[in-house]
Amino acid sequence: MWIIPLLVFFTFLAPLSVSAQSLTIVELNCENLFDYHDAEGKQDEDYLPEATRHWTKERYWRKQNHIAQTLLSCADNGIPDLIALCEVENDSAINDLCHRSLLRHAGYEYLMTNSPDMRGIDVALLYSPFTFAPIHHQSIRVEPIEGMRPTRDILYVCGLTREDTLHVFAIHFPSRFGGERYSQPFRQTAANRLCQQIDSIYTTSPDAKILVAGDFNDGPESEVLQQLCQHGLVDFTASASAPQDVHGTYRYRGQWELIDHILGSKSISMKLESAVIHAPHFLLEEEKRYGGKKPFRTYNGMRYQPGYSDHLPLIVRLSGK
């Protein structure tokens, strides 16, 4: 019952970010934010009205407003400045999210990739033009190795904040399809490509301010995350705070996993104010089989339920001082 008051409230929030002292970054895997139209050459058949999942216009707009509600609930003293989104299908879906959903009064603009991913999913960066002004962006292709399917491009955006130039990478590394050991080299390939770009920034600007946010499909102790930390990054969310019954951003067979991360260069690590796994009650449901709570997702297998996502969002706040 609080959605309508929340919408009215956020109509007036965007300009408040100008005077805020902190920079807020949110990361969320949206769990298949597909539109309901067939994309030529992409394997999006499951997300059509006549498909087994019955992905209708009504379900699409419920999903859009649920994602918007999730993002607005991350606000604290002004809307988030930057939002990295994973598992979004195309420009149409993100345009609807920014300009036609419950998020439409927040004033967000966006940039996104157009990747060779077989299902057509991509990554996007939403930004508040009041606090972040892009000056350059590009999609960075990850060339597949043997046995690896085409994956998501890395989105790179360079822009200006109130304080300085900020380099932002939004990523969604290859999944664990086929097993963790089999798929690990594929995530390593994506990490190597990301590290190349980070190193090139450090070459010209050793104290560059860099943020990396997304779904890594790997935990904090994995080789991939450790490699990134060896390239001058700090995992802000490795020990993120969370409610007592939540221990990660994703739950699989009763086990919480922290596979979403927000990292930053050492030059901004001292500005870290907080890192939180955002888990309000409406984003959770009872885990009947294993006990406890789990993210309230949109589909359990092929069974639809009016949930939000199978991932929980991350929130990082950096001080402007």
Side-chain angles (χ1 to χ4, degrees):
M1 297 297 294
W2 53 274
I3 295 179
I4 299 301
L6 183 67
L7 176 60
V8 175
F9 176 69
F10 275 100
T11 302
F12 303 99
L13 265 187
L16 296 180
S17 297
V18 177
S19 59
Q21 292 299 309
S22 61
L23 187 77
T24 302
I25 305 99
V26 169
E27 184 277 337
L28 174 65
N29 182 315
C30 297
E31 188 202 352
N32 297 315
L33 182 55
F34 280 80
D35 65 20
Y36 50 93
H37 303 291
D38 188 20
E40 185 177 354
K42 297 296 183 180
Q43 297 176 3
D44 64 344
E45 296 84 2
D46 284 346
Y47 288 91
L48 298 174
E50 65 274 13
T52 304
R53 294 183 189 267
H54 302 292
W55 189 240
T56 61
K57 181 178 181 179
E58 179 184 7
R59 291 181 176 183
Y60 169 73
W61 280 108
R62 181 182 291 119
K63 175 80 170 184
Q64 285 281 8
N65 286 323
H66 278 182
I67 295 299
Q69 181 183 350
T70 301
L71 299 175
L72 291 174
S73 74
C74 295
D76 182 19
N77 191 31
I79 62 172
D81 301 283
L82 297 168
I83 302 174
L85 297 180
C86 304
E87 288 197 16
V88 293
E89 185 185 16
N90 52 32
D91 182 85
S92 176
I94 294 298
N95 186 68
D96 283 345
L97 176 65
C98 288
H99 301 133
R100 301 181 66 193
S101 77
L102 289 174
L103 204 62
R104 63 187 179 274
H105 293 292
Y108 282 113
E109 298 298 336
Y110 66 91
L111 298 164
M112 70 179 302
T113 56
N114 184 13
S115 305
D117 178 86
M118 295 170 65
R119 293 200 302 138
I121 58 174
D122 278 287
V123 296
L125 182 73
L126 278 55
Y127 63 92
S128 171
F130 296 100
T131 54
F132 183 78
I135 54 178
H136 171 72
H137 72 277
Q138 69 181 103
S139 291
I140 300 167
R141 188 60 44 91
V142 178
E143 295 298 335
I145 60 174
E146 184 177 355
M148 177 180 172
R149 298 184 296 181
T151 191
R152 279 73 61 175
D153 288 354
I154 298 168
L155 176 61
Y156 167 63
V157 182
C158 177
L160 299 176
T161 67
R162 293 181 299 270
E163 302 294 324
D164 205 347
T165 301
L166 183 65
H167 304 268
V168 183
F169 294 91
I171 65 95
H172 185 187
F173 282 0
S175 73
R176 300 181 188 180
F177 182 79
E180 186 172 354
R181 178 177 297 182
Y182 170 79
S183 60
Q184 195 277 336
F186 307 151
R187 291 187 294 281
Q188 191 69 62
T189 299
N192 291 342
R193 188 72 179 94
L194 174 60
C195 287
Q196 289 175 2
Q197 296 300 124
I198 291 172
D199 289 344
S200 68
I201 294 172
Y202 282 141
T203 298
T204 57
S205 182
D207 295 322
K209 293 177 172 59
I210 300 173
L211 285 173
V212 182
D215 180 353
F216 290 75
N217 276 301
D218 264 321
E221 304 303 322
S222 66
E223 292 182 14
V224 164
L225 269 296
Q226 292 303 306
Q227 176 186 358
L228 292 172
C229 291
Q230 292 169 5
H231 281 257
L233 298 180
V234 178
D235 190 348
F236 293 155
T237 49
S239 56
S241 62
Q244 187 174 5
D245 55 351
V246 173
H247 305 287
T249 54
Y250 180 78
R251 203 168 193 222
Y252 180 68
R253 294 182 178 178
Q255 299 296 316
W256 282 104
E257 300 179 0
L258 183 58
I259 59 176
D260 301 272
H261 303 269
I262 299 175
L263 300 90
S265 56
K266 293 179 180 178
S267 59
I268 56 174
S269 61
M270 69 286 295
K271 294 179 177 289
L272 180 64
E273 288 186 344
S274 62
V276 176
I277 298 172
H278 186 55
H281 66 89
F282 70 88
L283 293 183
L284 299 169
E285 66 174 335
E286 295 292 332
E287 174 67 90
K288 296 179 180 178
R289 181 173 183 179
Y290 299 102
K293 300 283 189 178
K294 66 177 181 178
F296 185 20
R297 60 189 300 166
T298 307
Y299 279 94
N300 275 321
M302 291 293 178
R303 181 174 64 84
Y304 174 76
Q305 58 182 23
Y308 293 76
S309 174
D310 56 352
H311 289 241
L312 295 173
L314 291 168
I315 308 173
V316 162
R317 292 188 175 90
L318 302 175
S319 170
K321 298 180 181 179

